[in-house]
Amino acid sequence: MDPISLAGLGIGAASLAFELFAGCIKGFVLLSTAHNMGKDSSTLLCMLNLQEIQLTDWARRAGLLSDSRTLDRRLNETVVHAVLQELKNLLLDTEKLKSRYRLGLTNHAPKDTNVQSPPGQGILSSAISWETRNDILLTARLVQSRNHFPRRLWWAAVDKSKFEEYISQIRFFVQELWRLLDPLRQDEMAAGLQMVLSHVIGMSNKLGDLKSLQDALSQASNTRTEATDKSPYSTLESVAEIKAITLTINSASDEHTSLGSLTNIDRNQGSVRSLYLAPHLLRDFVALKSNPGMGVARYDDKTVFIEWKSLPVDRRHKVMAMVEDLALLLSAPKHPSFRSLRCQGLARYMEDSKAAFVFELPDIDETQPPRPLRTLFGSISPSVTERLHLALQITESVRHFHTAGWLHKDLRSQNILVLPSGDQSTSGIFPLTRPMLAGFAYSRVEASPEVSERPSADPQCDIYRHPDAMGDPSMSFTAEKDIYALGTVLLEIGETEWTINGRCTGKSEIPLTPNGIKQVQRTRDILVGTGKLIDPARFCHVFSSPRQRAQQTLDMLLGEAQREALVKDGKLTVTEDIGEWDYGDYEGVVPKEIRSRRKERGLDTERAWDIWVDGCEGGESPEQVKERLDDLIQKTTELQKPHMHGGTAGDVLVVAHGQILRAFTKRWLKYSMDFPLAMMMEPGAIGILSYAHHNIEEPSILIGMGFP
């Protein structure tokens, strides 16, 4: 019998899924602790450990590491058992390992092996504690005691290319398990994996370890499938490479391991000289209005972006060395999520004691230079969703640089660029989906022993600076001070007045804005479709406002064919019952102006105008709105009552407007119109009203949900 099969698989009180999972962990332990893996052991161990990390995280989210060790009942038990069985066989069947992949495992050291080397310790070996592994094996009765592990084996033959093929097959089954989770938990797994690997990269100070991890991530990225589209392999591969460049620049390691282009950026080899550009070819510089230290210019007849860097006369050589290091970092290829322009080189003007970082610009309208984020405040109208997406992109960029060991030191909205749309038909539009981090003139390696410059003491910039980063002398700059500045930027993004105009829009026929269209399209792509949150097959009825913008939303959400099918089946009602609040004399007026006008007429002497109490002159009162909504809610409950305890589908879709949907929510919950229930309703967004305990008499609002 083969050496692994000797141990067998104990059957305990835990679930079958847990037993199969524990068998997989046993396989990972045996493979990763085996002696004699060879010269590529560090990389191969990374590949193994990466899959073990993902499998263990999946098991945690699937309920197998809970106290009960039972599978989450939302998962298909039969499929989970089948996939885990296949994975367990793949990890424990040494005969197949030898015949199919030409990888041999034995109980004893091969005859030609003279040195009994200990098993390798990869950079990811400790990402799962041995205590966790032992608890899993002990619970499944695969080991005899807490301090006992399966007998270590020996690799008789290891071919790297065959081992990578073997890892790819392991990854396939791990991905199949990943695919069984709902999209929300898949996102959580991807975020968790990124957090673990980012921590490992950030803590590593050995080039060899980073090279192994980069190779493992590259191999995983090159064989990714639909199930791993959310996995951060390629992103972290890039972060690991930049961290390796950081170590090379900072001379934090005595190793000289080659990592892609690392040998080409070694400062001692003189390759820094290749970054220097001809100053006479740089011309026609035009500074940005909000930041004269950066702008656009022409270099060798191409439009480029420029950041100027002053060189203090008394420290010119030290500062210039830091500038060169920074240029090397910024010139290295990076994953798009770094969101930084690629540095083409340096133009040095020693007589003027300054240098220019020259950045390549992507294909954009040359008549529309990038704009600092600060200049866009108040001039565009993104939704809260778009602002959150922007904040996440900027935060991710800063996190990548910090993980790679670099500090920005001058984070502020003036140093975040927004590129113009690449679409020539939308000239002058600056979509917030294209932010770029800039303003790197003072950036440096976090662990650098060299002099640390302090950005200028401009009061306009000091609002972004941590108190300890101001004054002269200031305390040593740390990543926490970057995070402080980032928080200020995020506060700007969240609190800037970015609504279109805040006007009351009731019966006016105003089409959706371009931003509104994009929001509905994104909602449709993510949440509407077979098996998704909004599944047209589950509709028992659809109610829609007759306003043009509501009809446009409905058509984009469901499509023409689905709308026609609803009409044919008598399941679509376009009704004024769910039309927007009739604002009457206040149509097209902002609330602030409404209150001012009423005050001039002697109204509202004791309190400010409140639509929930006072209604709208020439329009609807709260009582009138209540009556029509109550009628619609009664129709809705009558439609859904037969479906409360199973049977055919019974979802009702309501497509309407912000204010009326707030009122609808209040009445659904049986609150009075003036009940102080604070709510936000984003354009194109989805809200869910339901019933508690499947009881038609207990209407409720769903504030937390799991996706099917």
Side-chain angles (χ1 to χ4, degrees):
M1 184 176 292
D2 67 76
I4 290 180
S5 300
L6 289 172
L9 177 63
I11 302 298
S15 69
L16 175 59
F18 177 79
E19 300 290 346
L20 293 170
F21 162 68
C24 295
I25 294 300
K26 176 183 177 182
F28 278 116
V29 169
L30 289 168
L31 294 172
S32 61
T33 60
H35 294 275
N36 203 37
M37 188 171 278
K39 64 179 182 178
D40 297 312
S41 61
S42 182
T43 299
L44 301 182
L45 276 173
C46 270
M47 294 178 184
L48 267 176
N49 294 149
L50 186 58
Q51 297 312 308
E52 185 186 13
I53 290 169
Q54 292 185 83
L55 176 65
T56 304
D57 192 27
W58 171 84
R60 182 177 295 107
R61 298 178 192 282
L64 298 184
L65 296 185
S66 64
D67 291 341
S68 65
R69 308 287 187 179
T70 55
L71 188 68
D72 188 326
R73 61 184 181 182
R74 290 174 292 180
L75 299 178
N76 188 317
E77 187 177 56
T78 302
V79 176
V80 169
H81 288 170
V83 176
L84 283 174
Q85 183 68 61
E86 289 290 336
L87 180 58
K88 172 176 165 288
N89 293 341
L90 182 65
L91 291 165
L92 295 177
D93 190 339
T94 56
E95 293 300 323
K96 181 179 292 186
L97 190 65
K98 183 177 180 179
S99 62
R100 181 172 178 177
Y101 300 101
R102 288 182 281 175
L103 301 172
L105 277 174
T106 68
N107 282 312
H108 307 287
K111 294 181 180 180
D112 58 349
T113 302
N114 297 320
V115 180
Q116 296 202 0
S117 60
Q121 291 296 315
I123 188 174
L124 297 179
S125 295
S126 60
I128 301 174
S129 70
W130 285 105
E131 181 181 6
T132 297
R133 293 183 177 100
N134 194 271
D135 283 344
I136 293 170
L137 298 178
L138 186 62
T139 302
R141 302 181 184 178
L142 297 179
V143 293
Q144 297 176 357
S145 67
R146 186 168 297 281
N147 296 321
H148 183 267
F149 278 96
R151 181 179 180 182
R152 276 167 42 188
L153 306 176
W154 285 81
W155 287 102
V158 178
D159 179 273
K160 184 179 180 182
S161 62
K162 287 295 181 180
F163 199 95
E164 290 179 351
E165 182 182 340
Y166 177 55
I167 292 294
S168 296
Q169 189 61 33
I170 293 173
R171 182 180 302 110
F172 170 78
F173 290 116
V174 174
Q175 291 168 359
E176 286 299 301
L177 293 170
W178 186 325
R179 194 196 303 267
L180 296 174
L181 296 174
D182 59 68
L184 182 60
R185 283 189 287 179
Q186 288 185 33
D187 287 341
E188 290 175 348
M189 276 192 66
L193 178 63
Q194 178 155 338
M195 182 175 66
V196 170
L197 296 181
S198 294
H199 178 74
V200 170
I201 294 170
M203 296 297 292
S204 178
N205 60 4
K206 294 183 179 180
L207 281 174
D209 285 347
L210 287 168
K211 171 66 165 65
S212 298
L213 180 56
Q214 186 194 356
D215 286 349
L217 292 170
S218 176
Q219 197 259 359
S221 179
N222 291 336
T223 57
R224 64 192 294 174
T225 65
E226 178 186 353
T228 56
D229 282 345
K230 298 178 181 179
S231 61
Y233 296 140
S234 58
T235 303
L236 292 169
E237 177 190 353
S238 179
V239 174
E241 181 169 8
I242 299 302
K243 177 61 182 288
I245 293 174
T246 303
L247 293 180
T248 302
I249 289 174
N250 202 40
S251 301
S253 172
D254 294 330
E255 298 182 45
H256 299 287
T257 305
S258 172
L259 180 59
S261 61
L262 283 183
T263 55
N264 296 328
I265 68 163
D266 189 339
R267 301 182 82 250
N268 296 325
Q269 294 185 24
S271 63
V272 171
R273 289 193 296 271
S274 65
L275 281 174
Y276 280 106
L277 306 176
H280 68 278
L281 295 179
L282 185 63
R283 56 186 177 81
D284 301 336
F285 173 74
V286 179
L288 300 182
K289 292 181 180 180
S290 65
N291 194 338
M294 58 178 64
V296 294
R298 302 285 292 179
Y299 182 81
D300 199 18
D301 291 328
K302 292 182 179 179
T303 301
V304 293
F305 189 78
I306 302 296
E307 287 190 28
W308 291 103
K309 171 67 179 177
S310 61
L311 304 173
V313 176
D314 59 334
R315 291 178 294 148
R316 179 180 298 173
H317 294 295
K318 284 188 175 181
V319 173
M320 198 64 220
M322 295 174 64
V323 169
E324 290 172 348
D325 289 346
L326 181 58
L328 290 173
L329 169 83
L330 296 174
S331 67
K334 301 176 189 66
H335 189 271
S337 60
F338 270 85
R339 299 209 163 271
S340 63
L341 298 173
R342 191 168 190 267
C343 184
Q344 184 176 335
L346 287 170
R348 183 168 51 178
Y349 301 83
M350 299 304 288
E351 67 280 5
D352 296 324
S353 296
K354 66 178 182 179
F357 292 96
V358 181
F359 294 90
E360 299 172 357
L361 278 174
D363 293 333
I364 60 174
D365 183 354
E366 294 189 2
T367 65
Q368 296 286 341
R371 289 182 61 181
L373 181 62
R374 182 61 178 268
T375 67
L376 294 177
F377 289 165
S379 64
I380 57 177
S381 54
S383 66
V384 171
T385 300
E386 289 171 310
R387 280 181 270 169
L388 285 172
H389 185 61
L390 171 65
L392 287 171
Q393 288 179 310
I394 296 170
T395 301
E396 183 179 45
S397 172
V398 174
R399 182 182 64 190
H400 288 341
F401 278 104
H402 282 185
T403 301
W406 281 82
L407 303 174
H408 187 279
K409 294 192 64 182
D410 201 14
L411 280 172
R412 47 195 170 97
S413 55
Q414 294 94 328
N415 286 336
I416 297 170
L417 303 177
V418 180
L419 304 184
S421 171
D423 187 348
Q424 296 298 320
S425 65
T426 58
S427 178
I429 294 179
F430 290 78
L432 295 181
T433 54
R434 307 185 75 190
M436 290 287 176
L437 197 59
F440 285 97
Y442 296 97
S443 300
R444 66 167 174 85
V445 176
E446 183 172 15
S448 174
E450 297 296 327
V451 60
S452 179
E453 294 182 283
R454 186 171 68 88
S456 62
D458 182 350
Q460 293 291 325
C461 301
D462 280 349
I463 63 172
Y464 299 92
R465 293 176 185 148
H466 190 282
D468 291 340
M470 294 188 288
D472 193 14
S474 62
M475 296 179 65
S476 177
F477 200 90
T478 60
E480 288 75 15
K481 296 180 178 65
D482 261 352
I483 295 172
Y484 179 95
L486 174 63
T488 307
V489 173
L490 299 184
L491 191 63
E492 280 187 286
I493 293 172
E495 293 193 346
T496 300
E497 189 64 30
W498 263 358
T499 57
I500 297 176
N501 47 38
R503 298 180 187 277
C504 296
T505 308
K507 291 191 173 183
S508 299
E509 288 294 359
I510 299 176
L512 291 174
T513 66
N515 281 327
I517 292 173
K518 291 178 182 178
Q519 181 63 57
V520 174
Q521 290 172 337
R522 285 195 291 267
T523 299
R524 175 198 62 200
D525 294 343
I526 297 172
L527 297 179
V528 180
T530 302
K532 295 185 179 181
L533 179 64
I534 301 176
D535 187 344
R538 292 184 53 82
F539 291 159
C540 68
H541 209 85
V542 175
F543 294 102
S544 174
S545 162
R547 300 288 84 75
Q548 175 188 346
R549 54 195 183 277
Q551 294 297 297
Q552 191 178 1
T553 298
L554 178 62
D555 289 342
M556 284 193 295
L557 280 178
L558 303 183
E560 183 177 348
Q562 186 62 51
R563 180 182 179 123
E564 290 177 355
L566 289 169
V567 172
K568 181 179 179 181
D569 294 337
K571 293 183 177 182
L572 174 62
T573 300
V574 179
T575 173
E576 285 287 357
D577 283 350
I578 196 62
E580 182 58 296
W581 198 307
D582 184 354
Y583 293 109
D585 298 342
Y586 303 152
E587 184 78 9
V589 184
V590 297
K592 183 178 180 180
E593 180 65 18
I594 295 171
R595 295 187 177 97
S596 177
R597 291 182 185 180
R598 289 173 63 93
K599 189 174 182 180
E600 290 174 358
R601 293 166 49 210
L603 301 175
D604 309 327
T605 57
E606 296 183 0
R607 58 170 178 79
W609 170 75
D610 183 353
I611 191 173
W612 301 105
V613 177
D614 305 308
C616 301
E617 294 179 291
E620 285 184 297
S621 68
E623 186 62 26
Q624 289 173 315
V625 173
K626 171 183 174 296
E627 288 176 4
R628 61 182 172 98
L629 290 180
D630 286 353
D631 288 341
L632 183 62
I633 289 172
Q634 183 178 353
K635 294 175 184 176
T636 300
T637 54
E638 288 174 355
L639 286 165
Q640 292 190 304
K641 191 172 183 179
H643 308 284
M644 292 305 296
H645 301 286
T648 57
D651 289 351
V652 172
L653 177 68
V654 178
V655 181
H657 318 274
Q659 189 69 18
I660 200 66
L661 287 175
R662 293 183 183 93
F664 185 93
T665 302
K666 286 187 178 185
R667 293 308 301 151
W668 181 268
L669 299 174
K670 301 182 179 179
Y671 293 150
S672 63
M673 292 291 282
D674 61 350
F675 184 85
L677 181 63
M679 291 174 282
M680 294 177 63
M681 189 68 64
E682 275 294 301
I686 299 296
I688 300 178
L689 299 176
S690 188
Y691 304 90
H693 310 113
H694 299 282
N695 186 346
I696 202 76
E697 299 299 327
E698 297 184 58
S700 63
I701 184 169
L702 187 61
I703 61 173
M705 59 183 173
F707 289 90

